[in-house]
């Protein structure tokens, strides 16, 4: 069950991952286009006005570096780790400060202040899926050097203030609004993923229930040929409960049913578990059973387990007072054996479709061994 | 004191009932076996009169949760013949005891049928392989295990399964004596691998003297 549910969960989570990655790639594309399409022209056009020029160029290169690193993360895994994001945001702030410092005096309406419209995009790229205060604080911090630059050395006229405000609000307001919008979309995607996962869980449960129902029917069929005639015989009086043979058949059917119930249990060593279930029934009938296992537990398919255990139930049902049950597991074979004191008994009947069964009958003992050779499909190993 | 020809035994087990049961089995044994000392700790085998016992029967789970491998190792290093007699029925414990140099490994469920015979064999340096130990040999997949023939493996597993040499003999169409020979040869092969111990060397030497196995087979 877990083997099938796990990849499904991953596919549900992937919707959100893919959406986030798509958003990041788009924002990165916008950022890079703005930087190289618009800002680079502005930088080159005003190249004589920066003091010092290298600081302005360095901040441009630093921003491009952050974009390149983000691109690398997106190509590799689709996610940018938090540590890398905070480092990136810090570098962007530094670059904005540096670019502002080296830019000519005046306000951001001057095209030489190319960085003013650009750095906010980096904020959206790095911070959009964190709580909105991060992006808001980031954009607010970016405004500070721009305002400082605008009031030194001369405080501008009210008309200039108004123009600056309109520009700042339209640029940063747009970026903030976009950041919030994207975050909203992401939340919806997360809810959709959760709903999909839940639906898949329900579907898995349904499949499991269906499988179990099929299993129960199969078990009923397994009992149909042997248990039902016995019960019918007892019911109609054609079988005598005081007859030792009837009792032996009852014991064998009880063991078979107990084993079928044990098949549903979730244990690591199923073969030993189901053998113990059969042994338990024999012990209740007064047979002292000693059980021993050797070798590492290995996977044995259900139908093979049935065939391995059936001869054991037969011997235990025939045993009078003592029996020994063993299981030996080697890389090539799984061997299950039962020896019981059963004087004067012929070899009992059992199913043996998938296994080889050998028996030794002496005057006072009955020994049956069932062997499964693990030569079949490699997935069973 | 022990009769001159009696085999002397020191029994170490922390359950008085087990000690009483073991002493009872020995008291009716033939040849005579005398329990010269019994107690709950390994000291029994190191102090008089237990220090002179020809065979030591050691329970692996003395008071405390750790298995008494250290006690076993010390006794083996002193050249004592030790029969490990334990509740534990798993191959790893059995193989570890054999590797340390125990003479044989018996589960308590097997005690009634095998303890007396194992003690006699121990006193005479003759191999003895009870079913639980045979199962451990047969299912052993470790790389350093000795190389066994197909027949030897078959005898080991069938002896483990049915605990009757007659049944094994009948199934394989051989005599019970031959079943014994196969079991003994495997035991000698195991004595010649792993950790060196004087008790193992004595077992191998005796087997070669008796013609049970050739030096080339090892």
């Amino acid at each position: 069950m877990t083997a099938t549910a796990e990849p499904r969960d991953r596919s549900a989570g992937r919707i959100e991952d893919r959406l986030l990655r798509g958003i990041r790639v788009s924002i990165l594309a916008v950022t890079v286009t703005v930087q190289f399409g618009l800002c680079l022209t502005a930088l080159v056009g005003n190249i004589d006005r920066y003091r010092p020029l290298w600081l302005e160029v360095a901040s441009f290169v630093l921003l491009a570096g952050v974009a390149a690193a983000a691109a690398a993360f997106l190509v590799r895994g689709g996610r940018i780790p938090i540590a890398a994001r905070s480092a990136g945001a810090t570098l962007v702030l530094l670059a904005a400060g540096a670019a502002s410092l080296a830019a000519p005096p005046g306000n951001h309406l001057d095209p030489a202040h190319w960085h003013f419209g650009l750095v906010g995009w980096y904020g959206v790229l790095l911070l959009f899926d964190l709580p909105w205060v991060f992006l808001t604080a980031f954009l607010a911090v970016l405004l500070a050097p721009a305002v400082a630059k605008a009031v030194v050395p001369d405080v501008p006229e009210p008309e200039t203030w108004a123009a600056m405000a309109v520009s700042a609000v339209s640029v940063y307001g747009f970026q903030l609004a976009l950041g919030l919008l994207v975050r909203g979309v992401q939340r919806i995607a997360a809810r959709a993923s959760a709903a999909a996962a839940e639906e898949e869980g329900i579907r898995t449960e349904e499949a499991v229930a269906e499988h179990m129902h099929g299993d129960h029917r199969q078990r009923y069929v397994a009992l149909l040929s042997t248990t039902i005639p016995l019960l019918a015989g007892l019911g109609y009086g054609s079988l005598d409960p005081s007859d030792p043979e009837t009792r032996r058949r009852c014991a064998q059917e009880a063991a078979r049913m107990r084993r079928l119930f044990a098949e549903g249990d979730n244990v690591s060593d199923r073969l030993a578990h189901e053998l113990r279930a059969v042994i338990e029934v024999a012990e209740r009938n007064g047979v002292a059973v000693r059980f021993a296992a050797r070798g590492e537990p290995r996977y044995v398919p259900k139908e093979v387990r049935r065939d391995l255990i059936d001869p054991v139930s037969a011997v235990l049902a025939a045993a009078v007072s003592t029996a020994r049950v063993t299981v030996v597991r080697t890389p090539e074979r799984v061997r299950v054996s039962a020896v019981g004191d059963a004087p004067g008994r012929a070899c009992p009947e059992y199913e043996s479709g998938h296994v080889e069964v050998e028996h030794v009958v002496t005057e006072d003992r009955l020994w049956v061994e069932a062997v499964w050779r693990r030569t079949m499909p490699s997935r069973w190993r | 004191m022990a009769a001159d020809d009696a085999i002397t035994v020191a029994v170490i087990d922390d359950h008085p009932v087990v000690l009483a049961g073991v002493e009872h089995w020995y008291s009716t044994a033939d040849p005579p076996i005398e329990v010269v000392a019994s107690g709950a700790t390994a000291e029994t085998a190191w102090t008089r009169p237990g220090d002179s016992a020809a065979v030591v029967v050691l329970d692996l789970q003395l008071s405390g949760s750790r298995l008494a491998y250290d006690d076993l190792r010390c006794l083996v290093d002193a050249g004592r013949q030790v029969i490990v007699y334990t509740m534990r029925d798993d191959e790893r414990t059995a193989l570890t005891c054999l590797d340390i140099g125990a003479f044989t490994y018996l589960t308590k469920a097997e005690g009634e049928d095998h303890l007396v015979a194992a003690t006699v064999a121990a006193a005479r340096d003759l191999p003895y392989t009870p079913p639980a130990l045979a199962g451990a040999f047969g299912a052993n997949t470790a790389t350093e295990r000795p190389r066994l023939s197909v027949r030897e493996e078959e005898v080991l597993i069938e002896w483990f399964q049915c605990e009757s040499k007659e049944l094994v003999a009948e199934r394989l169409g051989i005599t019970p004596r031959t079943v014994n020979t196969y079991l003994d040869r495997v035991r000698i092969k195991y004595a010649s691998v792993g950790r060196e111990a004087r008790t193992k060397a004595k077992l191998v030497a005796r087997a070669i003297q008796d013609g049970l196995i050739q030096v080339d087979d090892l």
Side-chain angles (χ1 to χ4, degrees):
Chain A
M1 280 175 271
T2 47
T4 55
E6 219 171 83
R8 282 185 180 183
D9 281 347
R10 268 192 246 123
S11 81
R14 222 181 287 145
I15 300 172
E16 194 188 342
D17 279 354
R18 280 170 58 188
L19 182 75
L20 274 178
R21 186 154 182 256
I23 292 170
R24 272 216 180 82
V25 170
S26 323
I27 299 173
L28 182 63
V30 169
T31 311
V32 171
T33 312
V34 169
Q35 182 166 0
F36 287 87
L38 305 176
C39 299
L40 187 58
T41 330
L43 177 63
V44 173
N46 295 284
I47 203 149
D48 305 334
R49 303 173 60 205
Y50 299 106
R51 299 285 179 278
L53 175 62
W54 67 264
L55 194 58
E56 195 72 18
V57 174
S59 75
F60 187 91
V61 173
L62 189 57
L63 288 173
V66 172
F73 275 116
L74 290 179
V75 167
R76 260 195 10 217
R79 279 180 181 272
I80 308 175
I82 290 288
R85 289 203 236 170
S86 42
T90 314
L91 288 178
V92 171
L93 289 177
L94 275 176
S100 181
L101 205 64
N107 59 53
H108 62 259
L109 298 173
D110 181 348
H113 292 238
W114 54 268
H115 64 274
F116 181 81
L118 171 67
V119 284
W121 285 112
Y122 278 97
V124 180
L125 171 68
L126 296 169
L127 306 172
F128 78 85
D129 57 339
L130 300 181
W132 62 272
V133 282
F134 285 89
L135 181 56
T136 314
F138 182 84
L139 295 177
V141 171
L142 281 178
L143 269 178
V147 172
K149 192 83 188 176
V151 298
V152 176
D154 304 311
V155 178
E157 301 292 309
E159 288 82 7
T160 318
W161 271 116
M164 277 167 62
V166 168
S167 151
V169 167
S170 48
V171 172
Y172 284 11
F174 176 66
Q175 286 167 348
L176 183 62
L178 188 78
L180 295 179
L181 180 77
V182 165
R183 187 163 158 68
V185 172
Q186 182 213 346
R187 275 212 206 98
I188 293 168
R191 272 209 298 274
S193 294
E198 199 178 324
E199 195 185 319
E200 279 163 7
I202 291 168
R203 234 180 288 140
T204 310
E205 272 173 31
E206 273 174 6
V208 168
E210 200 175 311
H211 183 78
M212 280 178 68
H213 179 65
D215 236 30
H216 289 159
R217 275 177 42 193
Q218 267 184 13
R219 283 180 217 167
Y220 178 71
V221 170
L223 293 177
L224 206 60
S225 59
T226 50
T227 313
I228 307 299
L230 181 68
L231 291 174
L234 288 170
Y236 291 120
S238 60
L239 288 174
D240 177 10
S242 63
D243 176 10
E245 178 56 23
T246 309
R247 286 189 188 169
R248 187 195 60 75
R249 277 179 65 189
C250 288
Q252 189 168 351
E253 290 313 315
R256 194 173 272 159
M257 285 167 78
R258 178 67 185 84
R259 190 204 66 218
L260 288 171
F261 299 150
E263 274 181 3
D265 299 348
N266 197 5
V267 288
S268 55
D269 188 354
R270 287 187 159 277
L271 181 62
H273 177 70
E274 289 169 28
L275 276 170
R276 283 200 191 94
V278 171
I279 290 168
E280 206 177 278
V281 175
E283 283 176 335
R284 256 185 242 143
N285 289 329
V287 180
V289 185
R290 290 198 293 125
F291 174 68
R294 292 287 183 273
E296 294 291 313
R298 289 164 202 280
Y299 174 71
V300 182
K302 187 165 69 182
E303 55 276 25
V304 177
R305 290 202 306 273
R306 284 185 187 171
D307 286 356
L308 283 172
I309 295 172
D310 214 42
V312 173
S313 329
V315 170
L316 291 179
V320 178
S321 61
T322 61
R324 174 173 172 81
V325 176
T326 60
V327 52
V328 178
R329 295 162 287 211
T330 61
E332 301 83 34
R333 284 184 292 182
V334 174
R335 312 174 61 159
V336 175
S337 143
V339 192
D341 57 341
R345 291 247 183 255
C347 189
E349 290 166 15
Y350 38 76
E351 306 274 335
S352 62
H354 300 84
V355 301
E356 297 160 32
V357 182
E358 276 196 48
H359 55 263
V360 178
V361 184
T362 65
E363 276 178 14
D364 57 345
R365 266 183 292 188
L366 177 59
W367 176 21
V368 177
E369 185 196 23
V371 182
W372 178 53
R373 290 181 197 274
R374 300 149 56 80
T375 49
M376 286 308 285
S378 54
R379 67 190 165 84
W380 284 352
R381 278 166 206 219
Chain B
M1 286 303 295
D4 287 345
D5 56 346
I7 296 166
T8 52
V9 181
V11 187
I12 302 163
D13 196 301
D14 58 347
H15 288 92
V17 176
V18 174
L19 290 177
V22 168
E23 284 185 37
H24 170 72
W25 289 334
Y26 282 143
S27 67
T28 55
D30 178 39
I33 299 173
E34 181 151 359
V35 178
V36 291
S38 62
T41 66
E43 261 176 57
T44 312
W46 293 106
T47 52
R48 293 175 68 79
D51 61 340
S52 64
V55 180
V56 178
V57 175
L58 174 69
D59 179 10
L60 266 191
Q61 282 167 302
L62 300 172
S63 52
S65 54
R66 290 185 56 214
L67 296 179
Y69 289 139
D70 291 338
D71 288 330
L72 173 61
R73 193 172 289 115
C74 290
L75 286 165
V76 167
D77 288 344
R80 308 293 290 273
Q81 289 282 56
V82 184
I83 295 174
V84 172
Y85 185 51
T86 176
M87 285 299 288
R88 291 180 73 94
D89 188 8
D90 66 279
E91 65 230 48
R92 190 178 298 172
T93 314
L95 294 173
T96 305
C97 290
L98 268 271
D99 187 50
I100 290 172
F103 168 74
T104 195
Y105 180 91
L106 261 182
T107 64
K108 285 189 176 165
E110 298 172 322
E112 187 170 8
D113 297 329
H114 296 280
L115 185 59
V116 168
T119 308
V120 173
R124 295 177 182 167
D125 284 325
L126 294 172
Y128 195 87
T129 310
L133 181 59
F137 287 159
N140 185 9
T141 51
T143 45
E144 68 273 18
R145 63 174 288 194
R147 191 175 301 162
L148 305 180
S149 70
V150 175
R151 213 4 125 57
E152 283 167 348
E153 281 187 14
E154 201 58 30
V155 169
L156 282 173
I157 294 202
E158 290 183 9
W159 170 228
F160 166 67
Q161 287 175 334
C162 71
E163 298 186 316
S164 156
K165 287 174 185 165
E166 288 72 26
L167 280 178
V168 176
E170 178 160 339
R171 182 162 167 198
L172 294 177
I174 53 179
T175 64
R177 208 183 142 83
T178 315
V179 172
N180 266 332
T181 308
Y182 280 119
L183 293 175
D184 292 350
R185 285 170 59 94
V186 173
R187 177 66 188 91
I188 299 302
K189 285 183 180 178
Y190 265 89
S192 63
V193 296
R195 178 177 181 269
E196 280 185 31
R198 207 185 333 157
T199 50
K200 291 182 175 184
K202 281 200 293 188
L203 205 57
V204 176
R206 174 71 196 261
I208 292 172
Q209 273 173 24
D210 291 355
L212 176 69
I213 200 162
Q214 305 295 315
V215 180
D216 299 346
D217 295 340
L218 299 174

